[in-house]
Amino acid sequence: MNAVMTTTANQPETARPKTLAEQTIAAATVAPASVLPQPFNRLRQAAQNRLSQVPFPTRRQERYKYCQLDGLSNTAFESFQVFPKISADQLAALTLPECQDARLVFVNGRYQPQLSQTKALTAIKGFHITPFSGMDDAAAEALLTQRLEAQVAGDDNWFSLANTALLDDGLHIRVDRDVVVDVPVQLLFVMAGADATPRIAAPRLVAELGPYARLTVMEHYVGLNNASATLNTMGFDVFLDDGASMTTILFQEDHQAGFHFNQRRVQVGRHAGFNQHTLAFSGLLSRFDNHVTVVGEQGDARLNGLLLLNSSRQSHHHLLIDHQAGHSTSNQLYKSIVLDEARGEFDATVKIAKGAQQTNAAQLNKNLVLSPLAKVYTRPQLLIDADDVKCAHGATVGQLDEEEQFYLTSRGLSPAQAQYMLIDGFAQELIDQLPIASLHQRLTGELQDWFNQRFGQQAAE
Amino acid sequence: MLSIKNLHATVNDTPILKGINLEVKAGEVHAIMGPNGSGKSTLAKVIAGHPAFEVTEGEVLYQGQSVLGLEPHERSNAGIFLAFQYPVEIAGVNNAEFLKLAYNAKRKAEGKEEVDEAAFNALLKEKRALLEMDSSYLDRAVNEGFSGGEKKRNEILQLALLDPKLALLDETDSGLDIDALRVVSGGVNAYKKPDNAVVLVTHYQRILNYIQPDFVHVLYKGQIVKSGGKELALALEEKGYDWIIEAEQAGVA
Ligand SMILES: Nc1ncnc2c1ncn2[C@@H]1O[C@H](COP(=O)(O)OP(=O)(O)OP(=O)(O)O)[C@@H](O)[C@H]1O
Ligand SMILES: [Mg+2]
């Protein structure tokens, strides 16, 4: 995959003083990850070399213009060398009912087989999960040369480079041709606090689906017992062969002081389908860089997002859907509800290459801004080189509709009840589409709590 | 029941209502007619408490108390109901859920216990039968994609459920076919009792064949320029508004 994150910052900056975050992370990367097979050290080294040329982002760069990075760049992060014990009860509380026997756990960036439940998965022939540490050198070599290595040289994304430079024990998921994984797999990424030192983690996941394979996962990002800042630099590489279909629910439940920079590269083959539902509810600062390349004809990419942001949280969603093949389709529907001084960003580009005729792409971003100091930045963009395509894009930013509120209150509903119904109605369009049933109730409940906290009890009963 | 005195109201500082006087007693049906843009919907919305309108002068007394300081939901809980001329579509808000919340809000206001799902569904079924509405409307979002006539039925379904003291029906007959007009009028007549009152805004005499008005008023440029019995509606149907407007202007001049 030759796709590159496009930022303008590329020139080596010798004079620029390094941020505290940069210095400490540079120190952290020096220690080799002893757990990994030899070839991975080459990958780490390549990323470390590249990292020395790519400056830490600042708001002067277009792609970080709205990202308040000060808190991040002024923090001295150390690598996670500590893996506090997590009790069975704690894990059980985090596990979805549908995923009791299909739960893969990462702690502080490292895959933890002994905490994982794979009963339902080992029963499926043709579904393989292999920790990086469990690969022989040949398999590691193949993964690097075929999938991971090429992207490093041209990568301008500081966080994705940091993820590779700090690479720990990640996970490789492969689903063979025609295999349908009929249980949703919960991928639980726990940031477990150990002490007062700010820590950086580098979880990494690679999923390869063979022709006509099917897989549904829920990436669940949570914090446990955190007493200090954490930085998650999650990296996810997805490769969908012809006719394969993957759905991922990205559920972000980071802790209050959690920084989360999530980079994903997705390659969609012929007739293949990629569906993603991002749920950004928490954390301090999060950023999602989604780079989807549709390489095969009739490939389809659907990305939904629901942002529910209060206090001074920030959540930035960057999408690049690159249609390189014709008759392909993509659809984006992102909605955000922002309160207090929260900031949401939707910066999405659909690129249609010259030869990608008869492509159909739609982007829609709707925002409810419920406080005077809350802000959203929205920028849906189309870059089209083909002439026979169908594209639509739009964005709305507004408050709750006065006529709708009047209608509801004129029927006796209190103003808070009416507001809750409208906010819930706004969010349900996305919640309804989630393919895991228990999440519907869970998220509706979360929305209720969230609303009650803000508007007082009894509203959302 | 309702006593409106010298009511003036503006929207964005533009005067719309310019001195309305109206007395409605329990058991009465009042029809309000008048040309487009004369202020009929504005009057209904001001009584119901729409925040876009500012009352600059006058009073609206309901059961002897001023309602001008009350929020829309407080007026509703007190028994005022507005059937909208243009019911809004509310995406994502389930119609059945909304109806249940509205019904329970009313119960609560009356100091009664909220009803459970089963009890509510039974009541709703009875009211739906009255309006000949099948259950398919319940699973949908409030008014979303409803035809003009279906929206009006949904309004009268709410009237039947909430059983208010004062019903303001704003052009409930517009957009109804003959059968729907009969059904909807039937709904209003079933609601009608000696202790409640109806103010019905309409352009057509047609609905008044089903719902007999005790009084007919003509609203023109924000004022009631003529009042009479139901024969006034017949005269308007025949002669239009010109003769009233001319008489009014002659009177002013
Ligand atoms: N929110 C508003 N903003 C600006 N002008 C308004 C608003 N609401 C009503 N008006 C104006 O007030 C006047 C009266 O409108 P209203 O809707 O009360 O008329 P109506 O008598 O109900 O007419 P129709 O028979 O067409 O329903 C009109 O000129 C209308 O344009
Ligand atoms: Mg009107």
Side-chain angles (χ1 to χ4, degrees):
Chain A
M1 191 166 162
N2 57 6
V4 187
M5 295 287 171
T6 50
T7 68
T8 48
N10 202 4
Q11 64 280 42
E13 285 182 52
T14 38
R16 187 185 56 93
K18 290 209 181 301
T19 63
L20 197 51
E22 232 170 332
Q23 291 167 33
T24 50
I25 290 164
T29 60
V30 174
S34 53
V35 291
L36 299 185
Q38 197 47 38
F40 283 104
N41 284 326
R42 191 177 78 229
L43 184 68
R44 286 174 52 123
Q45 190 58 54
Q48 283 165 29
N49 294 345
R50 178 75 188 150
L51 205 51
S52 65
Q53 293 159 15
V54 173
F56 195 76
T58 71
R59 295 184 66 180
R60 281 190 298 277
Q61 290 164 30
E62 185 64 25
R63 286 174 62 80
Y64 291 90
K65 195 168 163 187
Y66 302 112
C67 221
Q68 280 163 354
L69 292 161
D70 306 353
L72 180 67
S73 36
N74 297 333
T75 304
F77 289 99
E78 285 184 25
S79 176
F80 263 119
Q81 303 293 349
V82 276
F83 303 93
K85 194 170 149 37
I86 297 174
S87 73
D89 285 352
Q90 280 174 315
L91 281 177
L94 292 168
T95 307
L96 294 182
E98 291 90 343
C99 306
Q100 296 293 337
D101 297 321
R103 178 193 73 202
L104 307 176
V105 181
F106 285 68
V107 176
N108 298 341
R110 182 176 293 179
Y111 178 58
Q112 309 287 336
Q114 76 288 356
L115 297 180
S116 299
Q117 276 294 352
T118 57
K119 214 187 303 170
L121 299 172
T122 45
I124 299 171
K125 210 168 157 264
F127 180 81
H128 312 274
I129 42 177
T130 317
F132 293 167
S133 61
M135 290 181 165
D136 58 27
D137 283 5
E141 192 64 45
L143 180 64
L144 258 60
T145 50
Q146 287 164 26
R147 299 304 197 192
L148 302 182
E149 211 161 30
Q151 72 199 14
V152 172
D155 196 352
D156 282 324
N157 184 317
W158 195 91
F159 298 95
S160 93
L161 288 169
N163 177 270
T164 307
L166 287 164
L167 195 72
D168 204 313
D169 197 9
L171 198 63
H172 181 242
I173 295 177
R174 200 177 82 238
V175 188
D176 292 344
R177 170 187 277 272
D178 293 330
V179 171
V180 175
V181 181
D182 53 6
V183 280
V185 182
Q186 186 173 6
L187 297 154
L188 193 53
F189 296 92
V190 185
M191 292 295 246
D195 47 33
T197 310
R199 305 271 184 185
I200 180 171
R204 185 67 171 262
L205 200 62
V206 181
E208 295 187 77
L209 271 65
Y212 307 98
R214 278 173 188 274
L215 175 68
T216 298
V217 301
M218 166 154 122
E219 303 165 52
H220 192 181
Y221 300 95
V222 299
L224 268 184
N225 312 327
N226 298 94
S228 61
T230 57
L231 169 57
N232 186 347
T233 62
M234 172 71 188
F236 194 4
D237 304 79
V238 176
F239 303 89
L240 304 180
D241 211 325
D242 294 355
S245 165
M246 180 167 138
T247 298
T248 179
I249 299 166
L250 195 167
F251 187 20
Q252 182 216 1
E253 286 196 303
D254 291 323
H255 64 96
Q256 299 272 346
F259 295 96
H260 187 149
F261 284 74
N262 193 308
Q263 293 70 229
R264 50 198 56 227
R265 296 182 176 86
V266 181
Q267 188 174 296
V268 182
R270 284 184 58 214
H271 293 276
F274 177 69
N275 304 297
Q276 178 171 283
H277 305 265
T278 300
L279 305 163
F281 285 19
S282 56
L284 180 60
L285 166 63
S286 60
R287 178 178 166 116
F288 300 84
D289 271 290
N290 302 279
H291 188 163
V292 179
T293 311
V294 183
V295 295
E297 294 219 331
Q298 304 206 25
D300 178 50
R302 284 168 195 276
L303 288 91
N304 285 346
L306 178 62
L307 285 63
L308 199 58
L309 306 170
N310 63 359
S311 153
S312 56
R313 295 180 205 294
Q314 294 183 60
S315 195
H316 303 271
H317 297 257
H318 294 253
L319 292 83
L320 174 60
I321 315 295
D322 188 356
H323 290 270
Q324 296 183 352
H327 300 270
S328 56
T329 45
S330 69
N331 193 75
Q332 300 157 26
L333 174 62
Y334 271 66
K335 288 187 169 185
S336 63
I337 304 167
V338 289
L339 277 184
D340 304 332
E341 293 163 34
R343 300 250 181 296
E345 182 183 5
F346 175 78
D347 178 7
T349 302
V350 172
K351 251 172 91 175
I352 302 182
K354 204 162 183 178
Q357 299 295 359
Q358 307 249 327
T359 287
N360 197 330
Q363 329 177 258
L364 183 59
N365 177 223
K366 291 186 172 182
N367 301 285
L368 268 184
V369 180
L370 300 180
S371 316
L373 294 177
K375 279 205 171 64
V376 295
Y377 307 98
T378 175
R379 197 162 70 141
Q381 284 194 92
L382 300 166
L383 299 175
I384 304 173
D385 281 329
D387 44 30
D388 180 17
V389 298
K390 249 196 236 150
C391 293
H393 69 166
T396 61
V397 178
Q399 285 131 34
L400 290 174
D401 186 88
E402 193 181 64
E403 294 302 325
E404 293 179 356
Q405 285 187 80
F406 178 63
Y407 188 82
L408 295 175
T409 55
S410 80
R411 297 302 181 247
L413 274 60
S414 69
Q417 267 180 325
Q419 285 170 1
Y420 174 70
M421 281 204 107
L422 294 176
I423 291 172
D424 181 68
F426 181 79
Q428 285 304 333
E429 184 182 5
L430 289 164
I431 294 175
D432 278 349
Q433 292 184 41
L434 297 171
I436 298 181
S438 70
L439 277 177
H440 295 200
Q441 226 179 344
R442 163 102 185 252
L443 294 177
T444 302
E446 204 133 319
L447 192 65
Q448 253 173 36
D449 293 347
W450 186 90
F451 183 88
N452 285 339
Q453 243 177 40
R454 181 63 170 69
F455 295 95
Q457 293 300 319
Q458 117 273 277
E461 267 165 17
Chain B
M1 173 82 58
L2 179 69
S3 173
I4 299 176
K5 297 194 166 88
N6 189 30
L7 182 67
H8 288 69
T10 61
V11 59
N12 300 327
D13 296 329
T14 307
I16 310 285
L17 302 183
K18 301 165 188 167
I20 303 257
N21 292 291
L22 183 67
E23 291 289 331
V24 178
K25 296 199 174 62
E28 292 177 351
V29 174
H30 290 242
I32 296 185
M33 304 181 80
N36 294 130
S38 56
K40 304 180 298 294
S41 296
T42 301
L43 174 62
K45 288 186 198 171
V46 166
I47 299 169
H50 195 294
F53 302 95
E54 192 191 341
V55 172
T56 50
E57 215 184 314
E59 245 323 334
V60 177
L61 302 176
Y62 166 73
Q63 296 182 329
Q65 306 271 321
S66 172
V67 295
L68 294 179
L70 300 181
E71 297 283 320
H73 69 289
E74 294 167 328
R75 300 188 198 196
S76 168
N77 290 335
I80 296 177
F81 178 90
L82 167 61
F84 288 70
Q85 181 178 0
Y86 303 110
V88 289
E89 302 193 5
I90 309 183
V93 174
N94 178 271
N95 200 27
E97 181 72 23
F98 159 63
L99 294 173
K100 186 173 153 218
L101 273 178
Y103 182 68
N104 276 329
K106 168 202 150 81
R107 303 265 312 175
K108 216 165 139 186
E110 290 173 346
K112 295 183 189 148
E113 258 185 41
E114 297 190 0
V115 296
D116 63 15
E117 195 87 24
F120 177 72
N121 286 342
L123 177 72
L124 186 56
K125 196 167 174 190
E126 176 199 320
K127 301 299 182 190
R128 276 197 293 111
L130 179 69
L131 287 153
E132 300 180 13
M133 286 178 84
D134 64 45
S135 61
S136 69
Y137 297 100
L138 300 178
D139 299 333
R140 291 164 66 177
V142 177
N143 296 325
E144 196 179 43
F146 286 27
S147 74
E150 289 164 351
K151 283 179 183 161
K152 297 300 173 71
R153 275 187 207 225
N154 203 31
E155 293 294 286
I156 301 307
L157 177 67
Q158 293 170 44
L159 171 77
L161 267 177
L162 298 179
D163 191 25
K165 284 278 166 288
L166 173 64
L168 311 164
L169 311 180
D170 192 357
E171 294 200 29
T172 299
D173 55 335
S174 297
L176 294 183
D177 64 35
I178 312 277
D179 290 337
L181 182 64
R182 181 183 44 78
V183 170
V184 163
S185 304
V188 175
N189 284 328
Y191 151 78
K192 195 71 216 56
K193 285 191 277 299
D195 70 340
N196 61 26
V198 173
V199 176
L200 186 156
V201 173
T202 184
H203 286 292
Y204 308 104
Q205 139 71 23
R206 206 172 55 148
I207 193 172
L208 304 178
N209 292 333
Y210 294 95
I211 307 168
Q212 299 276 327
D214 302 296
F215 300 92
V216 174
H217 310 276
V218 176
L219 188 60
Y220 177 65
K221 291 194 173 165
Q223 289 183 321
I224 290 179
V225 293
K226 192 166 183 66
S227 296
K230 62 177 176 254
E231 68 291 343
L232 177 56
L234 288 166
L236 290 170
E237 181 98 334
E238 201 180 314
K239 301 197 274 181
Y241 292 110
D242 287 357
W243 61 284
I244 295 177
I245 293 166
E246 277 159 24
E248 160 76 3
Q249 279 161 351
V252 168

